[in-house]
């Protein structure tokens, strides 16, 4: 250990270039056991990114900046499997963004930004910005109704930059002609993805240099939490490779499955539609991952005192700045959540704001036309949850310090409790709207909110019972060699059967392609299942 | 473990012969600094070139054209061809292709033409301008940009609700995107935000039964650096055709 910290005083570049470590590093066994998936959230982002690059390159053959909507429609309706390519590229981005958020939150709560991973954390925050940027420029490229709304908002924000607004706007969105707009969106989309690739490489090498952060109890819940290679660690090939392949197939299956199911849902809300929106739809909604930015533009004080540029600086810039400097705010060496309760409370509050603003924008912006939000409502939205969460966290932290309470995965629990609070309040508002104001949208909205609250309640109970904890062994089904053989042959036969079945589907309509996509996703899941069984059989995992 | 230059020197006596100056850390960091300076100079120069080259040349026209409003077949429109209190959206592009404008013949709740006076319009952001007022035989025909001044929503998201309709927006132009409302009877001034600017008014003239457009007054058309730039010029230099959205 002392030898290790001695070496770490050297700078990272000399360490990586002059004395390379085995790449990738070997990892302890528990990172592949149940619950080990939390150590690979970054790897899963990478899988989604690879999927995006590959499908993106294929789409590049079809995209015409001079005819953005027409060429997208032609791809969906006239090119065999075109709708699968376009819709999974879109949902691959959605999955990637969701995974980026999960990766960020997980590392936030375990304190992975602490020594020695400060720079790694900062590159990660920059990657978040680039990912959202690439997603924005990709999403607007098809020139449908939603894309037009998003570009008009984006260019208003850009044009509001003090002094150089017109130049900034022109650099990103062109000189006002459609051709220059769509050429630039395509250009910026590719530039952003390239930057993601470069910065990701840096992030990855830093991660290899700093090692995957080991579990808290192995380092006494103290930073620097660094893993040292032990002789009993299993080699990367085949142990980790098999595990990575399993995760890869699961990620890709999700990317293919979700838009294929959604493609069959006839009245899907236009924000979730996997296809370009038809020009007759009247909608003014940004992509779901930017809904929170959109909502803040409706705040009364924001729209009267600030312009959209300063709104964005305030509501997007401030949280980003917080994330960038958190390694230098939370300087203690403790990784215990109860010692970092202020940062835990801030993190939970941030999640509640993010989800809250997005849901708010969705319910009041997508399901019905929006109105300006009075200042008192804004104040309630921001202050009440923050005060409650801080109070709750503080109380929980006190009882933990007094040894009255023991919690596993408290950060997840807190986030869920915060979200439950939010959704129950929203459903309460909707009850009022439905019965007092007789609003047609309120009842289904309320049902949805209550369902979400109920699901979250079930998850919290499961967490308290310890079901998601590493080490909880619920899976004894695959224990015997016989069951493994039976399960593997079933998966194998299933994939063959599905492959034959989908080969009869004509790829000539988005609906047919959706059935094909569902079949393909099933095969991918079967592959993941077989790998899982293989890992059990021959690697003993 | 190779820990860099200093250790090198200690272990390797020959290095003093090869590179005697290496011991002087002051000189070494001076050379490093010069290197950084040169790289910085190079970067600054290329950055300037890069920024200048990626700003696109602006497109547009140099002055407001005088255009006659015509119908789809090219005949000048008449007052009779415009319906009073029409819910159908009637638009024409001016002064550029991507600058649609509403053309409205305003009436009262009974469907009679209303004379629209020229007034001083005060914007919530503090600026003001004088509206041109209604034109035509009854001074009831007005026109304004159809691009919402808030975030740039366009028809049919933003549209005119005639006073003959019921509801809170009757007699107003309302934008569904975030709820901005404008009053076309009063120089398209702001009724409710979030917008802080009135819709830019089109200056029209009425001459021998024909309508001509010749200028814009008020705020700059949303999303354009100036009214005259940020889009392709219209195809004709004498007329612009009206079109409808339902
Ligand atoms: S764009 Fe019209 S109100 Fe926002």
């Amino acid at each position: 250990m002392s030898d290790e910290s001695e070496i770490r005083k050297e700078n990272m570049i000399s360490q990586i270039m002059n004395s390379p470590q085995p790449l990738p590093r070997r990892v302890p066994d528990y990172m592949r056991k149940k619950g080990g998936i939390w150590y690979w959230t970054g790897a899963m982002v990478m899988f989604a990114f690879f999927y995006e690059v590959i499908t993106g390159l294929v789409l590049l053959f079809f995209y015409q900046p001079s005819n953005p909507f027409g060429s997208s429609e032609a791809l969906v309706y006239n090119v065999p499997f075109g709708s699968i390519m376009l819709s999974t590229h879109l949902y691959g981005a959605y999955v990637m963004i969701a995974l980026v958020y999960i990766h960020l939150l997980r590392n936030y709560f375990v304190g992975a930004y602490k020594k020695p991973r400060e720079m790694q954390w900062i590159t990660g925050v920059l990657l978040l910005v680039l990912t959202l940027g690439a997603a924005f420029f990709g999403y607007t490229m098809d020139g449908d109704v939603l894309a037009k709304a998003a570009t008009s908002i984006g260019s208003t924000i850009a044009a509001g930059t003090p002094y150089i607004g017109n130049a900034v706007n022109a650099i990103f969105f062109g000189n006002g002609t459609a051709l220059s707009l769509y050429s630039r969106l395509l250009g910026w989309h590719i530039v952003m993805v390239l930057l993601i690739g470069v910065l990701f490489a840096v992030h990855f090498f830093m991660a290899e240099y700093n090692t995957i952060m080991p579990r808290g109890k192995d380092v006494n819940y103290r930073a620097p939490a660094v893993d040292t290679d032990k002789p009993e660690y299993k080699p990367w090939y085949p142990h980790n490779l098999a595990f990575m392949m399993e995760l890869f197939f699961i990620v890709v299956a999700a990317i293919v499955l979700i838009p294929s199911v959604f493609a069959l849902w006839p009245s899907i809300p236009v924000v979730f539609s996997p296809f370009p929106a038809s020009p007759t739809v009247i909608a003014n909604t940004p992509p779901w991952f930017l809904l929170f930015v959109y909502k803040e533009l409706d705040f009364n004080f924001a729209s009267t005192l600030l312009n959209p540029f300063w709104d964005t600086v305030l509501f997007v810039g401030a949280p980003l700045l917080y994330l960038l400097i958190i390694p230098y705010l939370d300087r203690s060496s403790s990784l215990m959540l109860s010692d970092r309760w202020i940062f835990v409370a801030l993190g939970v509050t941030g999640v509640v704001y993010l989800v809250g603003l997005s849901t708010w924008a969705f319910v009041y912006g997508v399901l019905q036309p929006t109105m300006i939000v009075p200042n008192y409502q804004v104040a309630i939205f921001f202050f009440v949850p923050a005060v409650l969460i801080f109070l709750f966290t503080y109380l929980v932290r006190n009882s933990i310090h007094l040894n009255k309470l023991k919690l596993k995965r408290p950060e997840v629990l807190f986030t869920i409790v915060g979200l439950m609070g939010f959704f129950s309040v929203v459903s309460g508002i909707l009850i009022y709207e439905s019965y007092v104001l007789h609003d047609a949208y309120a009842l289904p909205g309320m049902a949805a909110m209550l369902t979400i609250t109920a699901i979250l309640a079930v998850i919290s109970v499961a967490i308290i019972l310890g079901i998601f904890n590493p080490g909880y062994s619920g899976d004894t089904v695959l224990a015997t060699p016989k069951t493994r053989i039976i399960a593997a042959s079933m998966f194998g036969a299933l994939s063959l059967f599905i492959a034959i079945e989908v080969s009869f589907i004509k790829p000539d309509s988005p609906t047919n392609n959706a059935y094909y996509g569902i079949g393909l996703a099933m095969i991918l899941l079967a592959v993941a299942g077989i790998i899982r069984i293989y890992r059990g059989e021959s690697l003993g995992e | 473990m190779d820990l860099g230059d200093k250790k090198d020197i200690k272990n390797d006596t020959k290095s003093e012969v090869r590179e005697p100056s290496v011991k002087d850390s002051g000189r070494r960091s001076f050379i490093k600094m010069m290197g950084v300076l040169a790289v910085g100079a190079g970067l600054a120069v290329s950055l300037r070139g890069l920024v200048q080259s990626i700003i696109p040349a602006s497109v547009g026209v140099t002055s407001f054209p005088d255009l006659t409003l015509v119908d789809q077949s090219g005949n000048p429109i008449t007052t009779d061809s415009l319906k009073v209190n029409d819910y159908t959206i009637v638009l024409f592009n001016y002064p550029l292709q991507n600058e649609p404008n509403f053309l409205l013949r305003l009436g009262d709740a009974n469907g009679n033409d209303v004379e629209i006076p020229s007034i001083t319009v005060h914007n919530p952001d503090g600026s003001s301008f004088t509206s041109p007022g209604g034109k035509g035989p009854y001074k009831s025909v007005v026109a304004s940009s159809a691009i919402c001044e808030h975030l740039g929503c366009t028809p049919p998201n933003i549209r005119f609700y005639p006073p003959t309709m019921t509801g809170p927006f009757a007699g107003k132009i309302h934008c569904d995107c975030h709820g901005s409302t404008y009053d076309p009877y009063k120089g398209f001034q702001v009724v409710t935000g979030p917008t802080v600017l009135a819709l830019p008014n089109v200056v029209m003239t009425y001459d021998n039964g024909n309508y001509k457009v010749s200028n814009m007054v008020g705020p700059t058309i949303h999303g354009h650096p100036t009214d005259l730039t940020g889009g392709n010029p219209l195809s004709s230099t004498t007329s612009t055709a009206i079109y409808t959205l339902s």
Side-chain angles (χ1 to χ4, degrees), chain A residues 7 10 18-19 152-153 156 166-167 169-171 174-177 184 188 282-284 294 297-298 303-304 308 369-372, chain B residues 1-3 51 54-59 98 150-153 156-157 169 174 176-179 194 196 222-223 225 230-232:
Chain A
I7 293 167
E10 265 315 298
N18 295 353
S19 40
S152 90
I153 293 180
T156 307
N166 285 335
N169 187 12
I171 287 176
N175 59 13
T177 60
R184 263 156 211 269
W188 280 112
I282 299 184
N284 56 301
Y294 181 78
L297 299 172
D298 290 342
S303 60
T304 50
T370 18
M371 283 297 190
I372 213 72
Chain B
M1 170 116 319
D2 180 2
L3 294 182
V51 169
I54 61 172
I55 295 180
S58 90
V59 291
N98 60 355
H150 176 227
L151 292 177
C153 278
N157 279 329
F169 311 129
H174 178 76
D176 272 347
C177 291
H178 317 93
V196 291
H222 182 91
N232 284 324

